Amino acid sequence: MADVAARAGVSLSTASLAFSGNKPVSPATRERVLAAAASLGYAGPNPLASNLRRGRSGVVGIAVGRLSTAFRDPAALPMVDAVSDVLDAAGFGLLLMGDDAEHARLPLDAVIYDICGRETWTSYDDLVARDVPMVVVEGPAWPGTTLIDIDHRGGARALARHLHDLGHRRVATLMLEPSHPQREREAGLREVFPDAEVVGSCASDHDAAQAIVSDYLAAEPDVTAIVCQSDVQAAAVVVEARRRGLDVPGDLSVGGFDGITTPWLDLELTTVEQPLADKGRATAEAVLARIAGEPAHDVVLPVVLRVGGSTGPA
Amino acid sequence: MADVAARAGVSLSTASLAFSGNKPVSPATRERVLAAAASLGYAGPNPLASNLRRGRSGVVGIAVGRLSTAFRDPAALPMVDAVSDVLDAAGFGLLLMGDDAEHARLPLDAVIYDICGRETWTSYDDLVARDVPMVVVEGPAWPGTTLIDIDHRGGARALARHLHDLGHRRVATLMLEPSHPQREREAGLREVFPDAEVVGSCASDHDAAQAIVSDYLAAEPDVTAIVCQSDVQAAAVVVEARRRGLDVPGDLSVGGFDGITTPWLDLELTTVEQPLADKGRATAEAVLARIAGEPAHDVVLPVVLRVGGSTGPA
DNA sequence: CGTTTCGATCGAATCGTTTCGATGGTAGCC
DNA sequence: GGCTACCATCGAAACGATTCGATCGAAACG
């Protein structure tokens, strides 16, 4: 940049201003600097130096766990997409923190924890020590972190009431692995069905859900409805129930969660729709606020019950 | 770090060595430095400063397009997963470059282009000017980039031969959007079926594929097999064919590409299996080599035909 | 016992910007 | 015409580490 400044006949500081636009520079001067840069093949300020001086890298980490686990369920995508959109617009990039490992040497301006279900983070202490802002999606929130959540409990309760209204009395639930949101949802369900049976628990994965529910249905339980924790799980249950000759919703009602589309099913699931994109946007905005040093308040987003064709009278 | 050094009674340079481990430091001294750091709440070298001095950020960009597009097809995941694994192990992180936009200010040590199908990159010139190594997955390669590819043409040819062996003579193909790999695959198909009809083209998306093939089948074409460019497309074709009362593979054979599992189908697709994880590993290794300043050679990985239950005699 | 060797430690230079406060000149005002 | 404001520009001081070459002791050697 010194060379560019020299060639343009200005000082180093003026050249810097011409690139960053942080202070007014006369248009003529700016032109001259940019021309000099072009003729010297200078591609603009070195990001590494710029980062050091400004104390900011423009990189935000997002811990999602293993990709093929995190994104196996399509419901995860719109959320991260929204995060990415908002951050991009603000000039930040999103760095995947596969696991929660040693990313201590990477220049992170903030970290998003979107490991739904994980409750301990190896990197927490380190990030606190480095004063890196943290935003947690679907908590539990730790001290110093900002929490973005949805109304798990209310959603679960609404779906349970819907089933109760349809006359169901014996209801079972296929759970996710133990986690904060899962416990909230179970609580919501048990407000309506205190004695709901547990089918089992597994990740939001078609194969796993199908295997578990297959064993369960084989035992001929006398439940009339199964509440799942994701639409992927619910779709698997529908497929398996049919495979066993059960009619959905005639013989068995199935409820989901998330509100994504399941094009390979010929019915629309009854599900608790969560605002995935809003969740992502809220997360990104919290990140930006915290990076800017502003306070960020926790958020709990509402969910709505969307009644489809997978539930019917008991 | 100066404070830590002072408290430990060593020089700044020794303290740095104690943290980085680049040069031998006596164990006693290291202990003392780390203890001083702990007691002062110093979390280790500031990444931003470290980056500037070493001329490296530890961040590798990966351009995949919009997430919900890029990862809608599960076949994309194992590849990125493998990239992430290898880079993680080498201390690098993966930054998602949603689109191919202005990431000029971000500190990138290298960039991976995995936008299957995209042929122009806004950032190419800029990255060349900054001397950032680029690795392109499934081409076309531009000057200065390293190419990691699979044998699209051979795979397509193998599947076509398989159908020809089964007696099929009238074959149609559902294509991806125009792109380098798509052209290669079409060439492979036409080596066997020069007159293959085109069903249409769309992204690797269940809904889109189903809609297109639905129109096509409605016209009652007298083809006996449809070759798809991904297993997601193929699954959609199977679903739609059945919806229309066709038996697969009795009335219609369907071929896929990728070799992923489709648990919601009750048959295994006949498909061209590509080594997704190997592709990711090769990509990451090329990246690391180029970052280290070593030459990286282009790679073309083999594919294998995997015969399943979606193809049968004409 | 003198000399060589080697490992641990240190000082100082450097990485390439951004930004603060100061300076100089010009325009507007009375 | 003199005075104040203001804008564009500049010089110099950070930002916080890493690393090269030099120095200093002590161990090893003959």
Side-chain angles (χ1 to χ4, degrees), chain B residues 35-70:
Chain B
S39 83
L40 289 177
Y42 175 80
N46 177 324
L48 266 33
S50 170
N51 288 347
L52 171 58
R53 181 63 237 232
R54 308 188 322 183
R56 179 167 304 178
S57 67
V59 178
V60 174
I62 183 166
V64 292
R66 201 135 212 289
L67 282 194
S68 51
T69 307

mmCIF file of all heavy atoms in Angstrom, chain B residues 35-70:
data_model
loop_
_atom_site.group_PDB
_atom_site.id
_atom_site.type_symbol
_atom_site.label_atom_id
_atom_site.label_comp_id
_atom_site.label_asym_id
_atom_site.label_seq_id
_atom_site.Cartn_x
_atom_site.Cartn_y
_atom_site.Cartn_z
ATOM 1 N N ALA B 35 1.809 -20.974 33.855
ATOM 2 C CA ALA B 35 1.253 -20.624 35.173
ATOM 3 C C ALA B 35 0.973 -19.131 35.250
ATOM 4 O O ALA B 35 -0.096 -18.701 35.707
ATOM 5 C CB ALA B 35 2.224 -21.051 36.273
ATOM 6 N N ALA B 36 1.919 -18.357 34.786
ATOM 7 C CA ALA B 36 1.732 -16.896 34.802
ATOM 8 C C ALA B 36 0.509 -16.524 33.970
ATOM 9 O O ALA B 36 -0.318 -15.695 34.386
ATOM 10 C CB ALA B 36 2.979 -16.212 34.250
ATOM 11 N N ALA B 37 0.374 -17.167 32.803
ATOM 12 C CA ALA B 37 -0.766 -16.884 31.933
ATOM 13 C C ALA B 37 -2.074 -17.185 32.664
ATOM 14 O O ALA B 37 -3.004 -16.381 32.669
ATOM 15 C CB ALA B 37 -0.668 -17.718 30.660
ATOM 16 N N ALA B 38 -2.093 -18.346 33.307
ATOM 17 C CA ALA B 38 -3.309 -18.747 34.015
ATOM 18 C C ALA B 38 -3.651 -17.735 35.101
ATOM 19 O O ALA B 38 -4.799 -17.307 35.235
ATOM 20 C CB ALA B 38 -3.124 -20.142 34.611
ATOM 21 N N SER B 39 -2.652 -17.342 35.845
ATOM 22 C CA SER B 39 -2.935 -16.447 36.979
ATOM 23 C C SER B 39 -3.321 -15.055 36.495
ATOM 24 O O SER B 39 -3.934 -14.293 37.235
ATOM 25 C CB SER B 39 -1.734 -16.387 37.921
ATOM 26 O OG SER B 39 -0.801 -15.450 37.446
ATOM 27 N N LEU B 40 -2.962 -14.723 35.290
ATOM 28 C CA LEU B 40 -3.338 -13.403 34.766
ATOM 29 C C LEU B 40 -4.586 -13.475 33.889
ATOM 30 O O LEU B 40 -5.050 -12.463 33.378
ATOM 31 C CB LEU B 40 -2.188 -12.815 33.946
ATOM 32 C CG LEU B 40 -0.961 -12.356 34.745
ATOM 33 C CD1 LEU B 40 0.129 -11.870 33.795
ATOM 34 C CD2 LEU B 40 -1.343 -11.237 35.696
ATOM 35 N N GLY B 41 -5.099 -14.673 33.705
ATOM 36 C CA GLY B 41 -6.282 -14.810 32.866
ATOM 37 C C GLY B 41 -5.997 -14.535 31.405
ATOM 38 O O GLY B 41 -6.838 -14.051 30.663
ATOM 39 N N TYR B 42 -4.780 -14.869 30.993
ATOM 40 C CA TYR B 42 -4.395 -14.686 29.587
ATOM 41 C C TYR B 42 -4.707 -15.964 28.820
ATOM 42 O O TYR B 42 -4.270 -17.046 29.208
ATOM 43 C CB TYR B 42 -2.902 -14.353 29.516
ATOM 44 C CG TYR B 42 -2.341 -14.252 28.125
ATOM 45 C CD1 TYR B 42 -2.528 -13.093 27.370
ATOM 46 C CD2 TYR B 42 -1.616 -15.291 27.565
ATOM 47 C CE1 TYR B 42 -2.000 -12.993 26.092
ATOM 48 C CE2 TYR B 42 -1.092 -15.202 26.290
ATOM 49 C CZ TYR B 42 -1.285 -14.046 25.554
ATOM 50 O OH TYR B 42 -0.756 -13.958 24.299
ATOM 51 N N ALA B 43 -5.480 -15.847 27.755
ATOM 52 C CA ALA B 43 -5.997 -17.050 27.093
ATOM 53 C C ALA B 43 -5.142 -17.520 25.929
ATOM 54 O O ALA B 43 -5.578 -18.331 25.134
ATOM 55 C CB ALA B 43 -7.421 -16.790 26.615
ATOM 56 N N GLY B 44 -3.928 -17.005 25.837
ATOM 57 C CA GLY B 44 -3.086 -17.432 24.726
ATOM 58 C C GLY B 44 -2.969 -16.344 23.686
ATOM 59 O O GLY B 44 -3.686 -15.347 23.735
ATOM 60 N N PRO B 45 -2.071 -16.541 22.745
ATOM 61 C CA PRO B 45 -1.777 -15.523 21.751
ATOM 62 C C PRO B 45 -3.017 -15.046 21.017
ATOM 63 O O PRO B 45 -3.879 -15.844 20.665
ATOM 64 C CB PRO B 45 -0.832 -16.233 20.788
ATOM 65 C CG PRO B 45 -0.237 -17.344 21.569
ATOM 66 C CD PRO B 45 -1.255 -17.752 22.572
ATOM 67 N N ASN B 46 -3.101 -13.775 20.812
ATOM 68 C CA ASN B 46 -4.198 -13.196 20.044
ATOM 69 C C ASN B 46 -4.123 -13.684 18.592
ATOM 70 O O ASN B 46 -3.140 -13.445 17.902
ATOM 71 C CB ASN B 46 -4.069 -11.681 20.104
ATOM 72 C CG ASN B 46 -5.119 -10.980 19.283
ATOM 73 O OD1 ASN B 46 -5.494 -11.464 18.221
ATOM 74 N ND2 ASN B 46 -5.590 -9.863 19.772
ATOM 75 N N PRO B 47 -5.171 -14.372 18.138
ATOM 76 C CA PRO B 47 -5.138 -14.942 16.788
ATOM 77 C C PRO B 47 -4.901 -13.886 15.709
ATOM 78 O O PRO B 47 -4.236 -14.154 14.716
ATOM 79 C CB PRO B 47 -6.518 -15.565 16.637
ATOM 80 C CG PRO B 47 -7.035 -15.750 18.010
ATOM 81 C CD PRO B 47 -6.427 -14.668 18.839
ATOM 82 N N LEU B 48 -5.462 -12.714 15.897
ATOM 83 C CA LEU B 48 -5.338 -11.682 14.868
ATOM 84 C C LEU B 48 -3.880 -11.288 14.667
ATOM 85 O O LEU B 48 -3.401 -11.164 13.525
ATOM 86 C CB LEU B 48 -6.175 -10.463 15.280
ATOM 87 C CG LEU B 48 -7.591 -10.370 14.738
ATOM 88 C CD1 LEU B 48 -8.228 -11.732 14.564
ATOM 89 C CD2 LEU B 48 -8.442 -9.486 15.609
ATOM 90 N N ALA B 49 -3.182 -11.098 15.766
ATOM 91 C CA ALA B 49 -1.774 -10.712 15.674
ATOM 92 C C ALA B 49 -0.955 -11.872 15.126
ATOM 93 O O ALA B 49 -0.105 -11.696 14.247
ATOM 94 C CB ALA B 49 -1.258 -10.300 17.043
ATOM 95 N N SER B 50 -1.246 -13.032 15.653
ATOM 96 C CA SER B 50 -0.548 -14.223 15.187
ATOM 97 C C SER B 50 -0.720 -14.396 13.680
ATOM 98 O O SER B 50 0.225 -14.688 12.945
ATOM 99 C CB SER B 50 -1.085 -15.431 15.948
ATOM 100 O OG SER B 50 -0.622 -16.610 15.404
ATOM 101 N N ASN B 51 -1.948 -14.198 13.231
ATOM 102 C CA ASN B 51 -2.225 -14.340 11.807
ATOM 103 C C ASN B 51 -1.396 -13.382 10.964
ATOM 104 O O ASN B 51 -0.843 -13.756 9.938
ATOM 105 C CB ASN B 51 -3.702 -14.071 11.536
ATOM 106 C CG ASN B 51 -4.579 -15.195 12.037
ATOM 107 O OD1 ASN B 51 -4.091 -16.266 12.368
ATOM 108 N ND2 ASN B 51 -5.868 -14.942 12.102
ATOM 109 N N LEU B 52 -1.357 -12.157 11.400
ATOM 110 C CA LEU B 52 -0.623 -11.159 10.615
ATOM 111 C C LEU B 52 0.843 -11.561 10.496
ATOM 112 O O LEU B 52 1.423 -11.575 9.420
ATOM 113 C CB LEU B 52 -0.715 -9.780 11.278
ATOM 114 C CG LEU B 52 0.209 -8.724 10.651
ATOM 115 C CD1 LEU B 52 -0.098 -8.546 9.166
ATOM 116 C CD2 LEU B 52 0.101 -7.397 11.384
ATOM 117 N N ARG B 53 1.416 -11.898 11.626
ATOM 118 C CA ARG B 53 2.835 -12.208 11.616
ATOM 119 C C ARG B 53 3.126 -13.441 10.748
ATOM 120 O O ARG B 53 4.074 -13.470 9.989
ATOM 121 C CB ARG B 53 3.297 -12.420 13.056
ATOM 122 C CG ARG B 53 4.744 -12.715 13.217
ATOM 123 C CD ARG B 53 5.574 -11.540 12.729
ATOM 124 N NE ARG B 53 6.483 -11.990 11.710
ATOM 125 C CZ ARG B 53 7.777 -11.773 11.708
ATOM 126 N NH1 ARG B 53 8.325 -11.027 12.649
ATOM 127 N NH2 ARG B 53 8.519 -12.238 10.767
ATOM 128 N N ARG B 54 2.279 -14.461 10.870
ATOM 129 C CA ARG B 54 2.552 -15.699 10.140
ATOM 130 C C ARG B 54 2.038 -15.658 8.710
ATOM 131 O O ARG B 54 2.304 -16.556 7.915
ATOM 132 C CB ARG B 54 1.911 -16.881 10.866
ATOM 133 C CG ARG B 54 2.289 -16.941 12.344
ATOM 134 C CD ARG B 54 1.793 -18.201 12.960
ATOM 135 N NE ARG B 54 0.485 -18.556 12.430
ATOM 136 C CZ ARG B 54 -0.220 -19.583 12.824
ATOM 137 N NH1 ARG B 54 0.273 -20.369 13.756
ATOM 138 N NH2 ARG B 54 -1.390 -19.838 12.316
ATOM 139 N N GLY B 55 1.271 -14.618 8.421
ATOM 140 C CA GLY B 55 0.757 -14.506 7.060
ATOM 141 C C GLY B 55 -0.271 -15.569 6.722
ATOM 142 O O GLY B 55 -0.372 -16.020 5.575
ATOM 143 N N ARG B 56 -1.021 -15.984 7.714
ATOM 144 C CA ARG B 56 -1.965 -17.081 7.515
ATOM 145 C C ARG B 56 -3.080 -16.989 8.549
ATOM 146 O O ARG B 56 -2.832 -16.677 9.709
ATOM 147 C CB ARG B 56 -1.219 -18.395 7.702
ATOM 148 C CG ARG B 56 -2.040 -19.609 7.545
ATOM 149 C CD ARG B 56 -1.151 -20.809 7.425
ATOM 150 N NE ARG B 56 -0.205 -20.665 6.324
ATOM 151 C CZ ARG B 56 0.718 -21.568 6.015
ATOM 152 N NH1 ARG B 56 0.837 -22.639 6.741
ATOM 153 N NH2 ARG B 56 1.511 -21.373 4.998
ATOM 154 N N SER B 57 -4.304 -17.257 8.126
ATOM 155 C CA SER B 57 -5.434 -17.092 9.042
ATOM 156 C C SER B 57 -5.978 -18.417 9.553
ATOM 157 O O SER B 57 -6.681 -18.464 10.550
ATOM 158 C CB SER B 57 -6.563 -16.348 8.344
ATOM 159 O OG SER B 57 -7.087 -17.170 7.317
ATOM 160 N N GLY B 58 -5.688 -19.499 8.837
ATOM 161 C CA GLY B 58 -6.278 -20.777 9.230
ATOM 162 C C GLY B 58 -7.714 -20.920 8.754
ATOM 163 O O GLY B 58 -8.406 -21.850 9.142
ATOM 164 N N VAL B 59 -8.156 -20.013 7.899
ATOM 165 C CA VAL B 59 -9.530 -20.088 7.404
ATOM 166 C C VAL B 59 -9.537 -20.402 5.908
ATOM 167 O O VAL B 59 -8.853 -19.742 5.129
ATOM 168 C CB VAL B 59 -10.268 -18.755 7.642
ATOM 169 C CG1 VAL B 59 -11.677 -18.825 7.068
ATOM 170 C CG2 VAL B 59 -10.302 -18.423 9.123
ATOM 171 N N VAL B 60 -10.272 -21.418 5.553
ATOM 172 C CA VAL B 60 -10.412 -21.795 4.143
ATOM 173 C C VAL B 60 -11.862 -21.573 3.741
ATOM 174 O O VAL B 60 -12.779 -22.044 4.418
ATOM 175 C CB VAL B 60 -10.041 -23.272 3.933
ATOM 176 C CG1 VAL B 60 -10.332 -23.708 2.504
ATOM 177 C CG2 VAL B 60 -8.578 -23.507 4.277
ATOM 178 N N GLY B 61 -12.079 -20.858 2.672
ATOM 179 C CA GLY B 61 -13.443 -20.596 2.219
ATOM 180 C C GLY B 61 -13.952 -21.722 1.336
ATOM 181 O O GLY B 61 -13.179 -22.348 0.611
ATOM 182 N N ILE B 62 -15.233 -21.995 1.434
ATOM 183 C CA ILE B 62 -15.819 -22.967 0.505
ATOM 184 C C ILE B 62 -17.088 -22.371 -0.083
ATOM 185 O O ILE B 62 -18.016 -22.003 0.643
ATOM 186 C CB ILE B 62 -16.091 -24.341 1.175
ATOM 187 C CG1 ILE B 62 -16.633 -25.331 0.138
ATOM 188 C CG2 ILE B 62 -17.021 -24.216 2.364
ATOM 189 C CD1 ILE B 62 -16.619 -26.768 0.617
ATOM 190 N N ALA B 63 -17.078 -22.230 -1.394
ATOM 191 C CA ALA B 63 -18.233 -21.661 -2.082
ATOM 192 C C ALA B 63 -19.150 -22.796 -2.495
ATOM 193 O O ALA B 63 -18.769 -23.642 -3.299
ATOM 194 C CB ALA B 63 -17.787 -20.874 -3.313
ATOM 195 N N VAL B 64 -20.318 -22.840 -1.897
ATOM 196 C CA VAL B 64 -21.257 -23.926 -2.179
ATOM 197 C C VAL B 64 -22.595 -23.404 -2.682
ATOM 198 O O VAL B 64 -23.504 -24.170 -2.954
ATOM 199 C CB VAL B 64 -21.544 -24.776 -0.923
ATOM 200 C CG1 VAL B 64 -20.324 -25.549 -0.512
ATOM 201 C CG2 VAL B 64 -22.037 -23.898 0.206
ATOM 202 N N GLY B 65 -22.710 -22.115 -2.818
ATOM 203 C CA GLY B 65 -24.013 -21.567 -3.171
ATOM 204 C C GLY B 65 -24.868 -21.476 -1.921
ATOM 205 O O GLY B 65 -24.357 -21.596 -0.801
ATOM 206 N N ARG B 66 -26.130 -21.247 -2.120
ATOM 207 C CA ARG B 66 -27.030 -21.129 -0.988
ATOM 208 C C ARG B 66 -27.116 -22.468 -0.262
ATOM 209 O O ARG B 66 -27.250 -23.518 -0.883
ATOM 210 C CB ARG B 66 -28.411 -20.723 -1.500
ATOM 211 C CG ARG B 66 -29.299 -20.104 -0.505
ATOM 212 C CD ARG B 66 -29.974 -18.870 -1.128
ATOM 213 N NE ARG B 66 -30.209 -17.873 -0.108
ATOM 214 C CZ ARG B 66 -31.117 -18.016 0.841
ATOM 215 N NH1 ARG B 66 -31.856 -19.093 0.890
ATOM 216 N NH2 ARG B 66 -31.280 -17.073 1.737
ATOM 217 N N LEU B 67 -27.077 -22.438 1.044
ATOM 218 C CA LEU B 67 -27.059 -23.684 1.805
ATOM 219 C C LEU B 67 -28.248 -24.566 1.506
ATOM 220 O O LEU B 67 -28.097 -25.755 1.247
ATOM 221 C CB LEU B 67 -27.054 -23.388 3.301
ATOM 222 C CG LEU B 67 -25.726 -22.973 3.897
ATOM 223 C CD1 LEU B 67 -25.821 -23.067 5.402
ATOM 224 C CD2 LEU B 67 -24.636 -23.870 3.371
ATOM 225 N N SER B 68 -29.440 -23.978 1.546
ATOM 226 C CA SER B 68 -30.612 -24.831 1.400
ATOM 227 C C SER B 68 -30.713 -25.356 -0.022
ATOM 228 O O SER B 68 -31.470 -26.277 -0.290
ATOM 229 C CB SER B 68 -31.886 -24.084 1.807
ATOM 230 O OG SER B 68 -31.955 -22.857 1.145
ATOM 231 N N THR B 69 -29.941 -24.792 -0.926
ATOM 232 C CA THR B 69 -29.849 -25.379 -2.257
ATOM 233 C C THR B 69 -28.747 -26.425 -2.264
ATOM 234 O O THR B 69 -28.941 -27.564 -2.690
ATOM 235 C CB THR B 69 -29.514 -24.290 -3.304
ATOM 236 O OG1 THR B 69 -30.446 -23.236 -3.183
ATOM 237 C CG2 THR B 69 -29.539 -24.874 -4.696
ATOM 238 N N ALA B 70 -27.596 -26.038 -1.764
ATOM 239 C CA ALA B 70 -26.428 -26.911 -1.834
ATOM 240 C C ALA B 70 -26.641 -28.210 -1.072
ATOM 241 O O ALA B 70 -26.191 -29.269 -1.495
ATOM 242 C CB ALA B 70 -25.217 -26.187 -1.282
#
